[in-house]
Amino acid sequence: MRNDVSPTARALRALEILQSRPGTTADELGARLGVSERAARRYVDILREAGIPVESSRGPYGGYRLGRGVRLPPVVFTEAEALGLVMAVLDGQPAAADGDDLVGSALSKVIQALPDGLRRQAAALRHHASAAPDRRASRPDPATTSALVAASAARRRVVLTYRGESGTEWEGEVDPWAVVVRFGRWYLLCHSHRADAIRTYRIDRVRGVRPTDEGFEPPDGLDAVATLEENLGRGWQFTTRVVFDAPPAAVAPWIRPPMGRLEPYGDGCVLLGSTRNPTMYAQEWLATVPIDFRVEGGPELRDAMATLAARFNAAVADEPPTTRVPRPPASRRGDPDEGG
């Protein structure tokens, strides 16, 4: 906090911190308030003098926490927090600009509760800012998402009812490791007991979640985002093999995890993976890599790259090429529906 903030403002900020982070130590509270540990303890005393029960405990899991039955003041936003919240909502769900949208209705209530001057600013931002919808985004049912997050937090196995892209519906037990949001889509990263393997499922295709009494332990040190992206690049119909005449360190910054696994190969490296859409893989992924490479496999990717190369050659030819309208790709921007 700024040095010119009043003691009252700091005391209210201390109350807010203890409300959101029970177990905060005096040292942590001081760091967040921008004061010494000793001064932080004084602000705790101020709260106690005002009749707010603040409990303290010692030990490795000790710290300050609010006592039971505390009646807290309404949530108060700063100008930057309120406007940042409106921007984040519109960025994540453009339809929230409409008050009839589920999230839009919630945003309306938040804006209505703001002080007059701040309410006008937030309402103007929402009304006049235009957000382009993400055609790839798919919003799952909030109750379904919440059930999966709760099961993940409690480390409880669930039975999923799932409908795949083809319309086939099935049931199976999974260990819900994590919920991951990626490019406007919500995924469940899990261990499928039906397949005895890691799986990624789109949550908007989950038709039911039934908790069980079975527990589970996720892998140690799980990086949910990295694991999901790696899984999205495995098990697809068409294999890929791309050789680069550069060391892995030079190529790696240009390779997205779903493209495959990068390994040393002679004086360069090789990218091994699979795809459901060779055309997308060639023109949206490989074509953006500014390092020389050779596509050695599979045949479908070689054909897609040859077609792309012919297009580029035609773009600088003296004679105009014969126009051919290509068929739209099966998926957009290399974002497969499910992994493995």
Side-chain angles (χ1 to χ4, degrees):
M1 298 183 70
R2 302 190 315 270
N3 292 331
D4 59 348
V5 174
S6 70
T8 302
R10 276 203 169 89
L12 290 174
R13 175 58 178 155
L15 176 60
E16 180 184 350
I17 292 170
L18 297 181
Q19 177 187 4
S20 61
R21 297 176 64 90
T24 298
T25 65
D27 185 52
E28 293 169 340
L29 183 60
R32 289 178 172 274
L33 294 175
V35 298
S36 67
E37 179 180 346
R38 183 178 178 181
R41 295 182 187 279
R42 286 203 301 269
Y43 287 114
V44 171
D45 290 338
I46 290 174
L47 293 177
R48 287 169 172 165
E49 290 171 3
I52 297 174
V54 180
E55 301 172 352
S56 61
S57 57
R58 298 182 180 275
Y61 302 103
Y64 294 113
R65 64 188 69 246
L66 298 179
R68 293 185 178 182
V70 177
R71 299 186 62 182
L72 298 173
V75 176
V76 178
F77 295 107
T78 66
E79 178 180 331
E81 288 172 340
L83 298 181
L85 178 62
V86 175
M87 292 171 66
V89 171
L90 294 179
D91 182 49
Q93 183 153 330
D98 183 353
D100 293 332
D101 175 77
L102 176 66
V103 177
S105 175
L107 182 60
S108 295
K109 294 177 181 179
V110 172
I111 292 177
Q112 189 63 30
L114 296 174
D116 288 344
L118 192 50
R119 180 172 65 244
R120 286 193 294 269
Q121 292 183 63
L125 174 60
R126 178 192 192 181
H127 180 73
H128 294 288
S130 299
D134 185 348
R135 289 172 294 182
R136 295 177 294 108
S138 183
R139 302 286 186 269
D141 176 62
T144 299
T145 308
S146 178
L148 290 172
V149 169
S152 176
R155 298 185 176 181
R156 289 291 178 185
R157 187 178 302 173
V158 299
V159 177
L160 286 188
T161 302
Y162 191 83
R163 181 177 298 167
E165 185 178 15
S166 64
T168 303
E169 194 166 293
W170 52 262
E171 272 195 357
E173 288 191 347
V174 303
D175 296 340
W177 290 351
V179 169
V180 180
V181 186
R182 179 180 183 272
F183 298 149
R185 286 182 177 171
W186 292 67
Y187 292 91
L188 174 67
L189 175 68
C190 62
H191 174 80
S192 167
H193 292 271
R194 182 171 177 261
D196 191 23
I198 298 175
R199 288 291 184 263
T200 55
Y201 297 122
R202 277 179 47 177
I203 298 180
D204 61 295
R205 291 180 177 165
V206 174
R207 295 295 178 262
V209 180
R210 189 170 74 250
T212 74
D213 294 329
E214 296 290 331
F216 71 88
E217 288 296 327
D220 291 336
L222 174 68
D223 185 331
V225 174
T227 302
L228 178 130
E229 292 209 321
E230 290 171 5
N231 190 253
L232 288 176
R234 297 173 182 168
W236 297 106
Q237 181 180 2
F238 305 111
T239 59
T240 60
R241 177 184 174 87
V242 183
V243 176
F244 294 88
D245 296 324
V251 179
W254 302 96
I255 303 302
R256 297 169 56 185
M259 295 174 70
R261 184 179 68 258
L262 198 62
E263 297 181 351
Y265 182 70
D267 294 332
C269 58
V270 60
L271 178 63
L272 304 170
S274 63
T275 181
R276 65 178 291 184
N277 191 337
T279 299
M280 175 279 303
Y281 196 103
Q283 67 185 23
E284 296 192 24
W285 283 355
L286 287 181
T288 63
V289 179
I291 299 172
D292 292 343
F293 60 83
R294 301 185 307 280
V295 178
E296 295 188 350
E300 297 82 8
L301 182 58
R302 286 178 58 86
D303 289 345
M305 184 56 67
T307 300
L308 181 62
R311 281 182 53 210
F312 287 166
N313 284 331
V316 294
D318 294 332
E319 295 295 328
T322 302
T323 301
R324 181 177 67 86
V325 179
R327 185 175 63 180
S331 63
R332 297 188 184 96
R333 301 198 62 79
D335 191 16
D337 294 327
E338 303 152 25

